[in-house]
Amino acid sequence: MDKIVSHTNIHHAFIKPALPSWGLVEVIVEQLADMARPRLAAEAEVNRFKTLWDEAHTSASVAMSVASNAEPPTESNRKPTSGGVPVNFVSSAFVSRNRLIYEAITDLHKAGKPVGVPQVAAELERRGQLEFCGGEDYLFECVKSAIKGAYEAGVSVREFGVLSAHKVRESAKAREELLIAVFQHGSNPERVRRAYDQVANLHPEWAPT
């Protein structure tokens, strides 16, 4: 690999809310495409991710433009207004939609209000975030997935949610270790193999067929 980047930059690409540079993304995509089994066409994957990166860059530019023209957040304007996008939302264009949904649910629960799909959708709409979060249809899909997963696992929906959160964190750590193992200077093939096996165990779709 001709292009060298530090494992710190790779780590930041996955944990920082800001959009990574295209050069960094390109290196990561090329390396992972080469490692995939069956192997992926690196050029095709790079082109696919470049299109996605361009769209994300455009969205970020628009969001930052809105944020720069907004009033500085104060107690009077910190909270969202009807039909508008709150300042503390547009300042980061890449906040996870699931995180926004979770925050809306948490706030409704703290206020002693119902947290059904209609109520959560209405709260997200009030914050100007419903469309970004996939609309009411996505909320219903989340509920159906949680109910199905809980039924298949033989646990309550709440227990299933906790288990899912643990798995998400474990998966994120495994993917991070894989990237560090691949790119860190002095890393060895055995470390890469162990890291890859861990990711494949958590993501069966990654494993060779």
Side-chain angles (χ1 to χ4, degrees):
M1 184 178 63
D2 297 329
K3 303 169 186 175
I4 305 297
V5 296
S6 72
H7 71 275
T8 300
N9 287 338
I10 295 169
H11 174 71
H12 287 171
F14 283 86
I15 67 169
K16 298 280 187 179
L19 180 68
S21 69
W22 166 244
L24 177 58
V25 174
E26 183 180 17
V27 170
I28 293 173
V29 171
E30 286 178 344
Q31 193 70 11
L32 292 180
D34 186 61
M35 291 180 59
R37 296 293 182 273
R39 183 170 295 179
L40 299 173
E43 183 177 358
E45 288 302 297
V46 167
N47 290 338
R48 183 167 72 88
F49 272 84
K50 182 60 165 67
T51 299
L52 295 172
W53 187 91
D54 286 341
E55 292 175 355
H57 185 265
T58 299
S59 297
S61 298
V62 171
M64 293 307 296
S65 176
V66 173
S68 64
N69 290 326
E71 295 179 13
T74 63
E75 288 304 317
S76 61
N77 66 15
R78 189 179 302 277
K79 294 183 179 181
T81 56
S82 178
V85 181
V87 172
N88 60 356
F89 170 64
V90 299
S91 61
S92 176
F94 300 98
V95 175
S96 164
R97 64 178 177 178
N98 290 333
R99 176 184 170 187
L100 295 176
I101 293 170
Y102 172 78
E103 289 174 350
I105 292 173
T106 300
D107 290 345
L108 286 171
H109 180 73
K110 288 179 179 178
K113 298 179 180 179
V115 290
V117 169
Q119 290 81 16
V120 175
E123 177 62 17
L124 290 170
E125 178 67 26
R126 187 183 72 82
R127 301 180 182 202
Q129 301 170 357
L130 182 60
E131 183 177 355
F132 177 86
C133 290
E136 196 165 333
D137 289 343
Y138 180 72
L139 298 179
F140 276 112
E141 286 301 318
C142 290
V143 172
K144 288 192 294 184
S145 296
I147 293 174
K148 179 182 178 182
Y151 174 78
E152 293 176 346
V155 297
S156 69
V157 174
R158 182 182 182 281
E159 291 172 318
F160 179 75
V162 172
L163 291 172
S164 297
H166 285 310
K167 183 175 181 180
V168 168
R169 286 195 292 269
E170 188 178 356
S171 298
K173 290 179 180 179
R175 294 194 300 271
E176 179 186 333
E177 167 59 19
L178 174 58
L179 289 169
I180 292 175
V182 170
F183 289 100
Q184 187 174 46
H185 179 69
S187 186
N188 58 73
E190 179 58 30
R191 181 184 180 186
V192 174
R193 172 51 57 188
R194 288 198 307 269
Y196 178 81
D197 288 344
Q198 179 66 14
V199 173
N201 182 53
L202 294 165
H203 297 274
E205 70 276 11
W206 281 38
T209 56

